[in-house]
Amino acid sequence: LSAGEGRGAKRAGGNGNGANPMNNNSGSNSHNSRLPQLPTASSENRRRLRKCGGVEILATEMSRLSLSEHSLPSSFGITLAMCAWETVLPDPKSLTLFFTDCQGSEALFDLLEAGHRSIRPILLGILSDVLEQPKLHGFFHEWRSRRNAQSAAHLLISLWREEESALGLSETPSIER
Protein backbone atom coordinates (compact mmCIF):
# COMPACT_ATOMS: atom_id res chain seq x y z
CA LEU A 1 0.00 0.00 0.00
CA SER A 2 2.90 2.37 0.15
CA ALA A 3 2.96 4.10 -3.17
CA GLY A 4 5.84 6.15 -4.47
CA GLU A 5 5.11 9.76 -5.27
CA GLY A 6 4.83 9.16 -9.01
CA ARG A 7 3.03 5.83 -8.78
CA GLY A 8 0.47 7.13 -6.26
CA ALA A 9 -0.22 10.26 -8.30
CA LYS A 10 -0.69 8.24 -11.46
CA ARG A 11 -3.02 5.72 -9.82
CA ALA A 12 -5.04 8.35 -7.99
CA GLY A 13 -6.32 9.65 -11.28
CA GLY A 14 -6.39 6.32 -13.02
CA ASN A 15 -4.72 7.57 -16.16
CA GLY A 16 -3.26 10.79 -14.81
CA ASN A 17 -6.06 12.96 -16.17
CA GLY A 18 -7.70 13.74 -12.82
CA ALA A 19 -10.43 11.12 -13.15
CA ASN A 20 -12.14 9.92 -10.02
CA PRO A 21 -9.99 7.17 -8.45
CA MET A 22 -13.07 5.44 -7.13
CA ASN A 23 -14.53 4.92 -10.62
CA ASN A 24 -13.91 1.37 -11.63
CA ASN A 25 -14.23 1.00 -15.36
CA SER A 26 -12.95 -2.56 -15.39
CA GLY A 27 -16.46 -3.99 -15.40
CA SER A 28 -16.49 -4.87 -11.70
CA ASN A 29 -19.47 -3.66 -9.71
CA SER A 30 -17.45 -3.19 -6.52
CA HIS A 31 -14.91 -0.78 -5.12
CA ASN A 32 -12.92 -3.76 -3.81
CA SER A 33 -10.59 -4.02 -6.79
CA ARG A 34 -9.51 -0.37 -6.49
CA LEU A 35 -8.73 -0.20 -2.79
CA PRO A 36 -5.15 -1.47 -3.02
CA GLN A 37 -4.52 1.30 -5.54
CA LEU A 38 -5.68 4.17 -3.33
CA PRO A 39 -3.27 7.07 -2.96
CA THR A 40 -0.97 7.10 0.05
CA ALA A 41 2.07 9.10 -0.86
CA SER A 42 1.24 12.76 -1.09
CA SER A 43 -1.05 15.27 0.50
CA GLU A 44 -2.45 16.02 -2.97
CA ASN A 45 -3.50 12.39 -3.40
CA ARG A 46 -5.07 12.31 0.07
CA ARG A 47 -6.98 15.48 -0.83
CA ARG A 48 -8.18 13.85 -4.05
CA LEU A 49 -9.38 10.84 -2.10
CA ARG A 50 -11.38 13.07 0.22
CA LYS A 51 -12.84 15.16 -2.62
CA CYS A 52 -14.01 12.13 -4.62
CA GLY A 53 -15.83 10.49 -1.70
CA GLY A 54 -13.17 7.92 -0.86
CA VAL A 55 -13.28 8.61 2.88
CA GLU A 56 -17.00 7.87 2.93
CA ILE A 57 -16.45 4.68 0.95
CA LEU A 58 -13.78 3.48 3.40
CA ALA A 59 -16.10 4.08 6.39
CA THR A 60 -19.06 2.44 4.62
CA GLU A 61 -17.06 -0.62 3.62
CA MET A 62 -15.65 -0.99 7.15
CA SER A 63 -19.18 -0.89 8.56
CA ARG A 64 -20.36 -3.41 5.98
CA LEU A 65 -17.41 -5.68 6.70
CA SER A 66 -18.11 -5.63 10.45
CA LEU A 67 -21.48 -7.26 9.71
CA SER A 68 -20.06 -10.09 7.59
CA GLU A 69 -18.83 -13.55 8.61
CA HIS A 70 -15.35 -13.57 10.19
CA SER A 71 -14.17 -17.14 10.57
CA LEU A 72 -11.36 -16.55 8.05
CA PRO A 73 -8.95 -13.64 7.67
CA SER A 74 -10.04 -11.01 5.17
CA SER A 75 -7.44 -9.50 2.89
CA PHE A 76 -10.10 -6.94 1.93
CA GLY A 77 -10.51 -5.98 5.60
CA ILE A 78 -6.78 -5.64 6.09
CA THR A 79 -6.55 -3.52 2.93
CA LEU A 80 -9.42 -1.31 4.10
CA ALA A 81 -7.79 -0.73 7.46
CA MET A 82 -4.39 0.00 5.92
CA CYS A 83 -5.97 2.43 3.45
CA ALA A 84 -7.69 4.25 6.29
CA TRP A 85 -4.49 4.36 8.31
CA GLU A 86 -2.33 5.64 5.46
CA THR A 87 -4.76 8.00 3.73
CA VAL A 88 -7.26 9.26 6.32
CA LEU A 89 -5.20 9.64 9.48
CA PRO A 90 -2.42 11.85 8.03
CA ASP A 91 -4.95 14.31 6.56
CA PRO A 92 -6.72 16.48 9.20
CA LYS A 93 -9.73 17.21 6.97
CA SER A 94 -10.17 13.54 6.05
CA LEU A 95 -9.82 12.54 9.68
CA THR A 96 -12.50 15.02 10.73
CA LEU A 97 -14.76 13.85 7.92
CA PHE A 98 -14.20 10.19 8.82
CA PHE A 99 -15.08 10.69 12.48
CA THR A 100 -17.77 13.37 12.36
CA ASP A 101 -19.71 12.75 9.15
CA CYS A 102 -18.98 9.11 8.26
CA GLN A 103 -19.30 7.47 11.67
CA GLY A 104 -15.76 6.19 11.33
CA SER A 105 -15.38 5.53 15.05
CA GLU A 106 -18.41 3.23 14.92
CA ALA A 107 -16.94 1.45 11.91
CA LEU A 108 -13.52 1.02 13.57
CA PHE A 109 -14.83 -0.25 16.89
CA ASP A 110 -17.49 -2.47 15.31
CA LEU A 111 -14.85 -4.05 13.07
CA LEU A 112 -12.46 -4.40 16.01
CA GLU A 113 -15.17 -6.17 17.99
CA ALA A 114 -16.48 -8.42 15.21
CA GLY A 115 -13.55 -8.78 12.84
CA HIS A 116 -11.05 -11.58 12.53
CA ARG A 117 -8.00 -11.52 14.81
CA SER A 118 -5.73 -10.81 11.84
CA ILE A 119 -7.10 -7.29 11.44
CA ARG A 120 -6.89 -6.31 15.11
CA PRO A 121 -3.27 -5.08 15.17
CA ILE A 122 -3.97 -2.64 12.35
CA LEU A 123 -7.20 -1.37 13.94
CA LEU A 124 -5.49 -0.99 17.31
CA GLY A 125 -2.70 0.96 15.62
CA ILE A 126 -5.25 3.27 14.03
CA LEU A 127 -7.00 3.80 17.35
CA SER A 128 -3.74 4.49 19.17
CA ASP A 129 -2.82 7.13 16.58
CA VAL A 130 -6.31 8.65 16.76
CA LEU A 131 -6.26 8.79 20.56
CA GLU A 132 -3.10 10.90 20.45
CA GLN A 133 -5.46 13.71 19.43
CA PRO A 134 -7.46 14.92 22.45
CA LYS A 135 -10.25 16.32 20.26
CA LEU A 136 -11.15 12.77 19.20
CA HIS A 137 -11.30 11.25 22.69
CA GLY A 138 -15.06 11.82 22.83
CA PHE A 139 -15.61 9.25 20.08
CA PHE A 140 -13.79 6.66 22.19
CA HIS A 141 -15.86 7.46 25.28
CA GLU A 142 -19.19 7.50 23.40
CA TRP A 143 -18.94 4.16 21.57
CA ARG A 144 -21.13 1.31 22.79
CA SER A 145 -21.23 -2.18 21.33
CA ARG A 146 -24.32 -3.09 19.35
CA ARG A 147 -23.95 -6.66 20.60
CA ASN A 148 -23.80 -6.16 24.36
CA ALA A 149 -23.58 -2.38 25.05
CA GLN A 150 -20.03 -2.66 26.39
CA SER A 151 -17.85 0.44 26.21
CA ALA A 152 -14.70 0.81 24.13
CA ALA A 153 -12.58 0.43 27.26
CA HIS A 154 -14.33 -2.85 28.11
CA LEU A 155 -13.84 -4.07 24.55
CA LEU A 156 -10.11 -3.37 24.75
CA ILE A 157 -9.86 -5.17 28.10
CA SER A 158 -11.70 -8.20 26.72
CA LEU A 159 -9.41 -8.26 23.68
CA TRP A 160 -6.40 -8.04 26.00
CA ARG A 161 -7.67 -11.00 28.03
CA GLU A 162 -8.41 -12.98 24.89
CA GLU A 163 -4.87 -12.37 23.64
CA GLU A 164 -3.38 -13.38 27.00
CA SER A 165 -5.39 -16.57 26.91
CA ALA A 166 -4.28 -17.33 23.34
CA LEU A 167 -0.67 -16.85 24.44
CA GLY A 168 -1.17 -19.11 27.44
CA LEU A 169 -0.65 -16.34 29.97
CA SER A 170 -2.57 -16.25 33.21
CA GLU A 171 -5.18 -13.52 33.76
CA THR A 172 -3.91 -12.68 37.21
CA PRO A 173 -0.24 -12.67 38.04
CA SER A 174 0.77 -15.07 40.78
CA ILE A 175 2.51 -13.62 43.78
CA GLU A 176 5.08 -15.85 45.40
CA ARG A 177 6.07 -15.23 48.97
Side-chain angles (χ1 to χ4, degrees), residues 92-153:
K93 289 182 181 179
S94 292
L95 189 61
T96 299
L97 176 65
F98 187 77
F99 278 89
T100 58
D101 296 344
C102 300
Q103 299 178 331
S105 61
E106 292 287 323
L108 285 171
F109 281 112
D110 289 349
L111 190 54
L112 182 61
E113 179 182 40
H116 190 269
R117 289 185 59 169
S118 63
I119 198 170
R120 288 180 186 166
I122 300 165
L123 296 173
L124 290 170
I126 292 170
L127 289 171
S128 69
D129 284 356
V130 166
L131 290 173
E132 288 180 1
Q133 301 182 36
K135 292 180 181 180
L136 298 176
H137 288 185
F139 293 101
F140 178 83
H141 296 295
E142 291 173 5
W143 182 81
R144 293 283 182 252
S145 169
R146 293 178 187 162
R147 292 179 175 183
N148 56 17
Q150 73 178 338
S151 68

Side-chain angles (χ1 to χ4, degrees), residues 1-72:
L1 286 178
S2 58
E5 188 71 28
R7 189 177 121 212
K10 180 76 170 174
R11 285 190 173 180
N15 58 9
N17 64 6
N20 185 334
M22 301 317 291
N23 286 345
N24 185 352
N25 298 326
S26 65
S28 172
N29 61 1
S30 170
H31 299 296
N32 299 0
S33 62
R34 285 291 193 173
L35 281 172
Q37 300 173 0
L38 287 175
T40 60
S42 72
S43 60
E44 174 60 23
N45 286 338
R46 290 189 295 266
R47 185 191 66 77
R48 286 171 138 177
L49 178 74
R50 183 180 68 253
K51 295 287 186 186
C52 76
V55 174
E56 292 89 344
I57 291 170
L58 285 171
T60 300
E61 290 297 316
M62 282 182 158
S63 291
R64 188 184 62 75
L65 187 62
S66 72
L67 301 173
S68 64
E69 197 272 321
H70 299 286
S71 62
L72 297 173

